[in-house]
């Protein structure tokens, strides 16, 4: 694959993400428990460490350097005190976007593919997180971290790079699993944001998310769907072919099958919501014909824990 | 053959297939339509849908209807329906087609041909053998018609309308020769004009079987125009009346109709137009066209506007215009005294313009005459008066001159009453001066002629004053007495000149006005119809140009025979003697169709014949190709629709992709523009040297090859240097100088014109170019080019021989050119101030003067030559290193600079001419000179 189109795609992706993220305040992940990291962030770790804000005064011991002595405090009392600061650390957020074959679908050329839209939202989210000082771990399609957690603009760049590579890469292999297993991908108590269409059976999804849920990771699921998948606007005699080799089926009168399909879709979605609720995760829905702003706002709220 | 109303089916058994249509409907309805294939990610949700809730698919009803319609159209088309099938013609037996293609068929020829074609097509469809009888064959030796398949009949005959009458008797003979047995149906496409043999033919055809007659509408009845006759217009000597007569085929019920008759001259210009109206039921109509005589003499044909046919066209031959003039004089044969004789001046005046015969009265009146001139003014004897009077009444013009013997009313053939005695003006014994002519009165036919100043009348006969004298006077003297009077007698007139035909009494016969007056008189006389000018009554006239059935003039074919003159009057136009002009140019006789036609009567058909008109006959029309084409179009539409339904049409057609479109359109536009440019530029190119051609856009100065390579090199480098100097110091940016060889064979003025200035370094060894090239150079000078002749002949000049030899060569060359006289250049010549202000134009040598054309300082275009011997090129030349080649004498580098400036001035002079001599520049020039 030549370099130039990829750069173009990347550029375009970044521009779109910029547009989406514009106008939103930097994102600070609400977390009671912060994943262990040494990156300077904004979350107080309630212990002494590297940081800015005051933690406590401690009597001087001979292990401390004399430069750490707080003379003002010491003057007030007889003992010599050392000022300790709070360990503020950045929260780690893991971002995963599903770029399998089913995500590369769009029902009309005017709409973006689901994967593109998800990538844009993920990039926007990453920008907001980085602005808020958090760390980002980019998870590949198979659920592996692409590199170690990074913060700052470099993270965005890496993310954009990874996304364009995924979006323009070859389709998934035949025997790729539908949902990746995220075993050991993220440190404990970090945050995970998952963009996918979640059309796999609910038990398969539950299985793949189990490890994440067990390690106390606070997750946010966003289901990105095409409007055609929501409403089944086809008519007549149609042979539907699955994109990930699920098979094909012929429906004689699609108009009549529509009601049933929507029922099944709603059932699937409610099962997903239950799964999320059971682990304390949030679940969001986004259709590609709507603007990503709304979904982003909802996601923003969910991540910052803002509840009215 | 199945007949249903106005549609008939040729292959009705195909319609049985229509019974299968309901079955097809059912089949199409039950067959599920083709599937559309769609990729769908959420397909898992579509598995295991409840089958009881699924319904089966059907073809949409409109698609069903479309397909059934296609099938129905195909079935119908294959059944070969025919509209307007002529029932009753479905007879066995042959078909006889009689086609009238005489003169009467020409106006409606297209409709007739269509009717014939339809008839033959119908016969072909029914597979009837056909015999085609054409009643006006092109030649009498045409092969006899026979029975043949309809397709062959259509192809075999190339039928054209003929400009003669139909011959039904011949057709009847041919029919009888065929010996057909009944039943045989017949169709007669008739022109409605009765000719001998028509009734018998109709009866014979009716006897053989059914007879269908197809004829034109009553309003399209054929018209005939008979040859018009000229007569005098009452009261007006200049106009003449043309009496037109038209006839038409009509019954009592025929309504009123009109026609516009035009008179055309030989260039097809319309000279006059007159409407002619037929009263209802009338078969003849007349009208009168009033034309001035001169126009009437120019008429070449009369025809009817809008109805082009041989019968409505009448050709006017030379007799329409012939005006023989006879000069009756009393001189006895053998005594000829030119300049004193009466007839001399008249013969001289009329000879070049008219056919002049001389003789005595008796001899002249034996042959038809338009104008009789009696030159000797004398009395006409009583015996001759009667003859002359009858001749004048029939349209002759008698022109008489006065004389000593015409004293008083000597005979009745005088336009006015004369007073005895006459008068003399300006003689030795009278007080008065000779009289001059007054301007012509209003009613005079001589209006418009210019009267010379020097015509004087010394003596004349006088007319008795009377009430109508003013109306009869054509020319007056200044005091009002008539000089020329005229009076009508019947169709002709008598004209009297009150002076003699010799210069005794007046200077009129000596003047050009006399000639014009006599010509006018001849023009307003009437033409005669008579024998040709040479007595060729035994001669044979060859065809000159013939008219075809549409009335157009054509060249005669090889089969047309000449006609003896005496047979022409009674000749009937036919295949051997078509109507037209016979004879040779200047002596043509017309054979018109209309006099031979006789009375026009409408044709009567037997009662049993079925009569239709062209518009009534609706032609048979086979619907099969239309229906099948429609079915094909619908099939293609169905294909397209089914593709669209299955979403097989790609969303983005490559043609609508904008960059491709732009690129394609751009390429197309470029190609169109290029081809237009190439077509426009594909004019024949003159073969000019391509370098010369390039100088048209990039001006450059050129030097003429001297023949010696050294001198050429000097000239080249000198001009190079000058060009670069011009580029640096002035706005003139020339390209590199060019070498022109005046001895080259292909040199034309075009090869020289692109150069504003030519520099010619002349040495004693310069060859004299060929004359043609010197002419080209001359043209170049005349077109505004400038040639600088440089012929240094000082001792030691480059390339020079003896002193004076170069000048001699220059002289020789200049003699070959057409130059104005030259003079020394004045100090304020435009050359000295066209860019730099200079005193003189030095070159390598300082002193020699410069010659320019005389008068060139004020002349707009300036001098076209500069002749000097200062050797400019050597002063300008530089060698390869940029060092000057030759030293200048005696001035040094300052002089070299001045010589370069002189060169700049010369080029500016060549480009701007005398611009700098305008007084506008004078103040600034004076200012600079002072400083």
């Amino acid at each position: 694959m030549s370099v130039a189109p990829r750069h173009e795609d990347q550029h375009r992706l970044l521009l779109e993400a910029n547009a989406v993220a514009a106008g939103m305040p930097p994102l600070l992940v609400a977390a009671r428990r912060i994943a262990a990291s040494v990156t300077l962030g904004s979350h107080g770790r309630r212990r002494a460490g590297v940081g800015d804000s005051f933690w406590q005064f401690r009597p001087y011991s001979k292990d401390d350097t004399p430069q750490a002595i707080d003379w003002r405090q010491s003057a007030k009392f007889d003992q010599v005190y050392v000022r300790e600061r709070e360990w503020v650390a950045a929260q780690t957020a893991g971002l995963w976007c599903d770029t399998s074959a089913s995500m590369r679908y769009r029902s009309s050329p005017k709409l973006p593919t689901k994967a593109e839209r998800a990538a844009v939202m993920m990039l926007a989210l990453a920008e907001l997180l980085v602005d808020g000082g958090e760390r980002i771990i980019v998870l590949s399609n198979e659920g592996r971290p692409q590199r170690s957690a990074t913060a700052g603009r470099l993270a965005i760049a890496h993310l954009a790079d990874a996304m364009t590579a995924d979006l323009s890469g070859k389709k998934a292999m035949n025997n790729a699993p539908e949902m990746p297993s995220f075993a050991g991908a993220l440190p404990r108590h970090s945050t995970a944001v998952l963009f996918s269409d979640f059309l796999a059976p609910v038990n398969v999804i539950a299985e793949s998310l189990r490890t994440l849920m067990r390690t106390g990771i606070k997750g946010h699921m966003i289901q990105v769907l095409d409007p055609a998948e929501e409403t089944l606007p086809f008519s007549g005699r149609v042979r539907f072919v699955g994109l990930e080799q699920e098979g094909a089926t012929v429906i004689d009168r699609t108009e009549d099958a529509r009601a049933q399909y929507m029922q099944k879709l709603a059932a699937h979605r409610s099962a997903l919501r239950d799964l999320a609720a059971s682990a304390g995760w949030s679940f969001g829905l986004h259709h590609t014909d709507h603007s990503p702003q709304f979904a982003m706002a909802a996601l923003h709220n969910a991540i910052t824990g803002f509840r009215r | 053959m199945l007949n249903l109303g106005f549609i008939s089916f040729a292959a009705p058994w195909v319609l049985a297939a229509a019974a299968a249509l309901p079955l097809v409907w059912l089949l199409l309805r039950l067959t599920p339509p083709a599937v559309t294939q769609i990729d769908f990610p959420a397909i898992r949700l579509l598995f295991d849908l409840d089958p009881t809730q699924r319904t089966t698919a059907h073809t949409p009803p409109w698609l069903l209807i479309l397909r059934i319609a296609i099938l129905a159209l195909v079935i119908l088309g294959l059944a070969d329906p025919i509209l307007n099938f002529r029932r009753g013609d479905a007879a066995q037996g042959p078909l006889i087609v009689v086609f009238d293609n005489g003169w009467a068929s020409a106006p409606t020829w297209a409709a007739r041909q269509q009717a014939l074609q339809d008839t033959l097509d119908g016969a072909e469809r029914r597979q009837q053998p056909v015999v085609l009888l054409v009643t006006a064959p092109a030649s009498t030796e045409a092969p006899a018609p026979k029975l043949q398949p309809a397709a062959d009949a259509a192809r075999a005959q190339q039928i054209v309308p003929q400009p003669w009458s139909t011959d039904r008797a011949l057709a009847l003979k041919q029919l009888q020769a065929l010996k057909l047995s009944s039943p045989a149906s017949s169709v007669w496409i008739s022109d409605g004009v009765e000719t001998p043999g028509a009734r018998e033919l109709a009866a014979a055809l009716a006897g053989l079987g059914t007879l269908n007659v197809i004829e034109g509408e009553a309003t399209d009845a054929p018209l005939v125009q008979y040859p018009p006759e000229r007569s005098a217009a009452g009261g007006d000597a200049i106009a003449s009346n043309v009496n037109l007569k038209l006839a038409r085929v009509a019954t009592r019920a025929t309504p009123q109709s009109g026609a516009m008759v035009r008179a055309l001259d030989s260039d097809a210009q319309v000279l006059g137009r007159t409407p002619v109206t037929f009263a209802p039921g009338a078969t003849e109509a007349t009208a009168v066209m009033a034309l001035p005589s001169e126009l009437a003499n120019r008429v070449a044909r009369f025809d009817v506007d809008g109805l082009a046919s041989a019968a409505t066209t009448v050709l006017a031959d030379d007799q329409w215009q012939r005006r023989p003039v006879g000069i009756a004089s009393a001189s006895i044969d053998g005594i000829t005294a030119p300049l004193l004789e009466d007839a001399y001046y008249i013969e001289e005046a009329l000879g070049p313009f008219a056919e002049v015969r001389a003789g005595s009265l008796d001899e002249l009146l034996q042959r038809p005459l338009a104008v009789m001139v009696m030159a000797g003014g004398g009395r006409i004897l009583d015996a001759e008066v009667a003859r002359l009077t009858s001749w004048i009444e029939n349209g002759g013009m008698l022109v008489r001159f006065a004389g000593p013997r015409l004293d008083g009313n000597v005979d009745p053939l005088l336009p006015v009453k004369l007073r005895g005695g006459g008068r003399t003006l300006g003689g030795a014994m009278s007080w008065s001066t000779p009289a001059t002519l007054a301007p012509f009165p209003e009613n005079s036919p001589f209006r418009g002629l210019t009267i010379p100043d020097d015509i004087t009348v010394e003596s004349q006969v006088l007319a008795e004053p009377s009430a109508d004298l003013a109306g009869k006077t054509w020319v007056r003297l200044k005091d009002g007495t008539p000089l020329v009077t005229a009076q009508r007698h019947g169709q002709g007139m008598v004209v009297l000149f009150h002076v003699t035909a010799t210069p005794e009494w007046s200077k009129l016969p000596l003047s050009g006005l006399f000639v014009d007056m006599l010509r006018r008189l001849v023009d307003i006389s009437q033409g005669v119809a008579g024998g040709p000018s040479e007595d060729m009554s035994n001669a044979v006239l060859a065809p000159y140009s013939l008219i075809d059935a549409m009335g157009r003039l054509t060249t005669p074919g090889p089969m047309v025979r000449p006609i003896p003159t005496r047979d022409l009057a009674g000749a009937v136009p036919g295949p051997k003697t078509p109507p037209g002009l016979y004879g040779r140019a200047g002596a043509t006789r017309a054979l018109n169709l209309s006099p031979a036609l006789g009375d026009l009567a409408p044709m009567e058909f037997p009662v049993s014949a079925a009569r239709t008109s062209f518009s009534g006959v609706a032609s048979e029309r086979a619907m099969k190709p239309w229906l099948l084409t429609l079915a094909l179009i619908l099939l293609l539409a169905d294909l397209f629709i089914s593709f669209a339904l299955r979403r097989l049409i790609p969303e983005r057609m490559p043609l609508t992709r904008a960059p491709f479109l732009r690129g394609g359109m751009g390429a197309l536009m470029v190609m169109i523009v290029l081809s237009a440019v190439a077509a426009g530029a594909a004019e024949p190119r003159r073969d000019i040297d391509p370098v010369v051609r390039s100088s048209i856009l990039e001006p450059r100065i050129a030097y003429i090859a001297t023949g010696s390579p050294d001198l050429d090199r000097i000239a080249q480098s000198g001009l190079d240097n000058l060009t670069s100097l011009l580029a640096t110091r002035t706005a003139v940016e020339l390209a590199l100088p060019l070498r022109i060889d005046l001895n080259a064979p292909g040199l034309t003025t075009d090869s020289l014109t692109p150069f504003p200035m030519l520099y010619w370094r002349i040495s004693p060894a310069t060859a004299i170019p060929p004359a043609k090239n010197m002419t080209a150079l001359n043209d170049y000078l005349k077109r505004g080019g400038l040639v600088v002749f440089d012929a240094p002949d000082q001792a030691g000049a480059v390339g020079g021989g003896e002193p004076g030899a170069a000048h001699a060569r220059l002289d020789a060359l200049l003699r070959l050119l057409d130059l104005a006289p030259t003079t020394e250049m004045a100090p304020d010549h435009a050359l000295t101030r066209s860019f730099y202000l200079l005193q003189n134009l030095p070159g390598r040598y300082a002193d020699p003067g410069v010659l320019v054309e005389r008068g060139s300082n004020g002349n707009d275009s300036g001098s076209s030559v500069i002749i000097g011997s200062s050797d400019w090129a050597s002063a300008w030349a530089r060698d390869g290193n940029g060092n000057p080649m030759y030293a200048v004498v005696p001035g040094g580098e300052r002089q070299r600079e001045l010589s370069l400036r002189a060169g700049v001035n010369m080029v500016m002079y060549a480009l701007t001419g005398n611009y700098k001599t305008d007084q506008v520049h004078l103040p600034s020039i004076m200012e600079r000179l002072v400083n």
Side-chain angles (χ1 to χ4, degrees), chain A residues 2-239:
Chain A
S2 66
V3 180
R6 187 151 145 203
H7 268 265
E8 250 183 47
D9 292 339
Q10 203 173 332
H11 189 61
R12 204 169 21 92
L13 208 56
L14 280 172
L15 278 179
E16 276 186 57
N18 224 0
V20 172
M24 285 193 153
L27 198 48
L28 213 56
V29 177
R32 287 199 199 92
R33 310 188 63 179
I34 312 289
S37 74
V38 294
T39 313
L40 208 58
S42 323
H43 302 272
R45 296 295 314 275
R46 309 232 190 281
R47 59 180 68 149
V50 183
D52 261 345
S53 45
F54 171 75
W55 182 240
Q56 66 174 358
F57 288 115
R58 180 170 51 83
Y60 176 79
S61 70
K62 56 178 185 309
D63 307 325
D64 302 313
T65 64
Q67 279 79 13
I69 295 176
D70 190 312
W71 291 109
R72 177 171 284 239
Q73 194 65 21
S74 305
K76 285 187 191 163
F77 303 101
D78 284 336
Q79 232 178 336
V80 183
Y81 289 104
V82 163
R83 174 177 259 195
E84 273 189 337
R85 301 185 194 278
E86 187 183 6
W87 185 8
V88 283
Q91 176 62 297
T92 305
L95 303 173
W96 175 69
C97 178
D98 186 1
T99 49
S100 62
S102 72
M103 284 291 283
R104 293 170 206 242
Y105 167 80
R106 60 174 161 187
S107 58
S108 126
K110 296 195 203 89
L111 297 173
T113 58
K114 294 191 287 188
E116 280 174 11
R117 179 52 63 79
V120 163
M121 298 208 310
M122 199 164 86
L123 262 182
L125 189 66
E127 265 189 57
L128 295 173
L129 285 170
V130 155
D131 285 342
E134 314 294 5
R135 297 196 316 159
I136 299 191
I137 296 185
V138 175
L139 298 173
S140 71
N141 199 26
E142 290 77 31
R144 305 254 163 284
Q146 301 228 323
R147 46 172 63 80
S148 52
T150 40
R153 307 307 305 176
L154 198 60
I156 314 257
H158 285 150
L159 186 56
D161 209 26
M163 275 294 101
T164 34
D166 272 345
L167 283 177
S168 46
K170 293 194 218 68
K171 300 212 194 280
M173 313 289 274
N174 280 351
N175 49 2
E178 292 194 35
M179 291 289 292
S181 72
F182 293 96
L186 294 176
R188 300 170 67 87
H189 307 301
S190 50
T191 307
V193 184
L194 310 172
F195 293 89
S196 171
D197 55 1
F198 296 115
L199 288 175
V202 182
N203 53 344
V204 171
I205 297 177
E207 184 61 38
S208 77
L209 296 182
R210 191 160 46 102
T211 36
L212 287 181
M213 289 175 178
R214 287 240 182 89
T215 54
I217 291 173
K218 174 88 163 62
H220 307 272
M221 294 159 67
I222 288 82
Q223 186 184 33
V224 181
L225 281 187
D226 199 276
E229 287 166 326
E230 187 70 40
T231 54
L232 204 67
F234 313 109
S235 61
R237 192 156 180 255
V238 180
R239 179 169 181 265

Side-chain angles (χ1 to χ4, degrees), chain A residues 102 105 114 178 199-201 229 232 234 237-243 246-247 250 252-253 256-257 260-261 264-265, chain B residues 32-50 53-58 647 651-652:
Chain A
S102 72
Y105 167 80
K114 294 191 287 188
E178 292 194 35
L199 288 175
E229 287 166 326
L232 204 67
F234 313 109
R237 192 156 180 255
V238 180
R239 179 169 181 265
F240 292 99
V241 178
L243 289 170
E246 296 103 329
V250 173
D252 278 336
R253 281 174 71 84
D256 296 341
Q260 265 201 304
Y261 167 82
K264 287 182 84 172
L265 183 66
Chain B
V35 285
T36 315
Q37 178 148 317
I38 297 182
D39 293 336
F40 197 63
I43 191 171
R44 266 212 198 82
L45 301 173
L46 291 171
F47 291 150
D48 311 322
L49 284 183
D50 191 356
Q53 292 205 359
R54 284 163 57 164
T55 51
T56 52
H58 293 295
R647 295 178 166 220
E651 300 270 357
R652 255 190 229 161

Side-chain angles (χ1 to χ4, degrees), chain B residues 75-167:
Chain B
I75 292 176
L76 262 184
L78 286 178
D80 201 358
I82 303 172
L83 287 178
N84 304 321
F85 192 69
R86 270 191 284 277
R87 239 163 305 137
D89 291 20
Q92 313 84 354
L95 179 69
I96 307 171
V97 179
V98 180
F99 190 71
D100 281 339
N101 63 331
W103 58 268
S105 65
T108 49
W109 182 248
R112 282 173 202 277
Q113 251 189 335
Q114 183 64 38
L116 178 65
Q117 197 59 45
D118 287 340
T119 313
L120 290 177
D121 281 344
E124 189 181 337
R125 209 171 287 123
R126 290 175 222 105
Q127 287 167 341
Q128 278 180 305
V130 163
V131 57
L132 182 58
L133 297 172
V134 175
T135 50
S139 64
T140 44
E141 286 93 24
K146 55 187 192 322
L147 216 53
Q148 53 191 321
D152 295 343
R155 254 179 279 128
Q157 284 264 13
Q158 291 289 331
I159 308 178
V160 292
Q162 305 292 356
W164 43 79
S165 318
T166 51
D167 189 356

Side-chain angles (χ1 to χ4, degrees), chain B residues 11 24 33 116 191 199 222 330 421 473 485 492 497 512 589 607 805 919:
Chain B
V24 172
L116 178 65
D191 59 13
R199 282 215 201 116
T473 309
T485 48
F497 280 73
R589 295 282 302 273
V607 181
Q919 290 303 312

